[in-house]
Amino acid sequence: MSDKNIDDAISWYIKMRPVYKNLANKVESIIREVLTNSGASYYTITSRAKEIESFTIKANKEKYKNPQQEIKDLAGIRVITYVKSEVNNCCELIKPLFELDHFHSVDKTKELGNDKVGYRSIHYVAKLTEDRLSLPEYQIFKDMGFEIQVRTILEHAWADISHDRNYKFNGVLPPDNDIERRFSLAAATLELVDREFDNLAREIVVYGHEVVDKVNKDELNIEINTTSLSNYLDLKFKPFIDREIVEPTFNNKSKEIIDELNAYGVSNLSDLELIIKENTEKFIYERTNFLGLLRDIMMLNNITLYFEKAWSNNWTGIEKNMVKYYVSRGINMSEIIDKYDLSEDEDDDEEDYDFFLDEEEVG
């Protein structure tokens, strides 16, 4: 290709790059919406238009006679999942959304074969469907293609380390000291770890299904852990979760709340069921999550036991609405607040706060 053709290609891409960036953003939004609404698990979704410098380097390669038509990743979208099974699930959801170019799409894992290790990722080359292109906001993208990559976190780490042209591992590695062999061993180890994470994730899912089955049968002699506790609460408080009164998360503190439950004397689901029974409404007085809900369950059942055995100063301060509700349940909040120095939030009005405490005496 002559220098003039290269210059023309670069000028064309400089002009078109904002459109490709817009296309990448649109496709990212489509994929994100579908994966999120379907409940698919993924780590992150990103998009970009190829940088001018990257386009220039690629366009100069001998194999590209017409860079404008032959370079397929001018708009790129990357979906990163936690484990391999999630890659497969995301791919099944993504494929029907677009018109795929099967000739240029590739599964890098299959390209490696069974006797090699290295870069692994699924690449789809695609265009928007005719149905979508018929909408006014998408008509500008007619005949424009994009590439979608789907890979795990560990595959992504390997790709970044081994393919970044500015890093030490790019290109042909020196043969001294078995560097190339050790690099291959590192790739194989990463692949084994990726597979093991996938297997562990599958086993946790299977265990979760077993917990649900046992809970439905009232077989609750199950040790409390994050999975068993989450599945039990999902079923027990389903009406409140469906109404978005209870958020089914532990706020990244599942270990902390399980430690509190164990200190309180609750080590399996049957212990927790004895406290809750069918009185789920009793423990709901405001929007909350599993972390707050479990603390309310313990405190409303026996607040003295909770603070003596489980609290361990894991949280401080107590809100007015919490005080009011606990007082309405006949709990002496003045004594608890004084004994454990549970000072109110700084923006709480002290007189209003004391008023809620006074309701104990009025009641």
Side-chain angles (χ1 to χ4, degrees), residues 8 16 46 53 80 107 146 168 208 254 269 300 307-308:
D8 287 348
M16 290 298 297
T46 57
E53 180 186 1
I80 300 177
D107 184 340
F146 48 88
K168 302 174 181 65
S254 61
L269 297 182
L300 286 167
F307 278 100
E308 287 181 354

Side-chain angles (χ1 to χ4, degrees), residues 12-38:
W12 169 85
Y13 186 59
I14 290 173
K15 177 182 177 182
M16 290 298 297
R17 187 174 183 273
V19 185
Y20 276 102
K21 185 175 179 61
N22 190 13
L23 172 62
N25 289 337
K26 293 282 190 182
V27 175
E28 177 189 344
S29 296
I30 293 168
I31 293 174
R32 186 185 304 279
E33 181 178 4
V34 169
L35 295 187
T36 301
N37 289 343
S38 69

Side-chain angles (χ1 to χ4, degrees), residues 30-283:
I30 293 168
I31 293 174
R32 186 185 304 279
E33 181 178 4
V34 169
L35 295 187
T36 301
N37 289 343
S38 69
S41 176
Y42 63 89
Y43 174 63
T44 187
I45 304 174
T46 57
S47 62
R48 61 97 182 108
K50 185 175 283 295
E51 298 292 339
I52 305 295
E53 180 186 1
S54 296
F55 175 83
T56 302
I57 292 170
K58 204 164 189 175
N60 270 291
K61 291 183 178 179
E62 184 64 29
K63 68 177 182 177
Y64 293 114
K65 307 303 180 185
N66 186 347
Q68 295 98 313
Q69 296 297 320
E70 295 172 355
I71 297 177
K72 304 296 183 181
D73 64 342
L74 300 180
I77 301 88
R78 180 173 291 152
V79 179
I80 300 177
T81 70
Y82 294 96
V83 295
K84 191 66 178 179
S85 58
E86 294 168 351
V87 168
N88 300 332
N89 184 39
C90 287
C91 285
E92 291 306 308
L93 292 166
I94 289 170
K95 286 189 292 186
L97 301 176
F98 309 105
E99 181 183 322
L100 297 185
D101 178 348
H102 294 285
F103 181 78
H104 291 101
S105 299
V106 62
D107 184 340
K108 295 291 185 179
T109 302
K110 293 179 180 177
E111 274 195 347
L112 283 173
N114 295 324
D115 59 342
K116 295 181 177 65
V117 295
Y119 174 69
R120 294 172 294 131
S121 183
I122 293 176
H123 294 212
Y124 292 124
V125 174
K127 293 182 179 180
L128 296 174
T129 62
E130 289 299 323
D131 286 345
R132 200 174 293 276
L133 288 170
S134 67
L135 301 173
E137 64 267 32
Y138 290 101
Q139 289 174 2
I140 191 175
F141 305 124
K142 185 174 176 59
D143 296 325
M144 294 177 65
F146 48 88
E147 183 182 82
I148 305 168
Q149 296 179 0
V150 190
R151 58 174 67 148
T152 67
I153 291 177
L154 291 181
E155 288 172 344
H156 180 60
W158 173 255
D160 270 9
I161 289 174
S162 61
H163 287 77
D164 190 325
R165 63 177 178 271
N166 296 317
Y167 199 59
K168 302 174 181 65
F169 299 139
N170 181 257
V172 178
L173 296 174
D176 298 344
N177 299 321
D178 292 331
I179 288 177
E180 188 170 2
R181 177 175 176 273
R182 286 158 54 202
F183 192 69
S184 296
L185 287 172
T189 301
L190 211 59
E191 183 173 338
L192 284 173
V193 172
D194 211 355
R195 290 189 180 191
E196 183 61 9
F197 276 136
D198 195 32
N199 290 334
L200 289 169
R202 290 174 187 270
E203 289 178 23
I204 289 172
V205 170
V206 170
Y207 173 76
H209 291 326
E210 292 173 353
V211 169
V212 170
D213 185 56
K214 288 183 177 180
V215 170
N216 283 327
K217 296 177 180 177
D218 289 329
E219 298 174 5
L220 297 176
N221 191 25
I222 304 169
E223 182 178 319
I224 283 182
N225 53 59
T226 302
T227 304
S228 65
L229 189 57
S230 178
N231 280 278
Y232 168 80
L233 293 173
D234 279 340
L235 291 173
K236 193 73 178 177
F237 291 89
K238 186 177 186 304
F240 301 100
I241 294 171
D242 290 344
R243 287 153 52 196
E244 299 184 350
I245 297 172
V246 174
E247 181 184 346
T249 69
F250 295 100
N251 198 27
N252 294 321
K253 293 183 178 181
S254 61
K255 184 182 184 306
E256 183 175 299
I257 194 61
I258 288 172
D259 288 343
E260 288 185 24
L261 286 166
N262 290 338
Y264 189 83
V266 174
S267 58
N268 58 52
L269 297 182
S270 60
D271 297 331
L272 192 55
E273 178 68 15
L274 285 173
I275 297 173
I276 301 174
K277 299 177 182 176
E278 300 304 319
N279 301 321
T280 52
E281 296 88 352
K282 171 184 175 181
F283 304 104

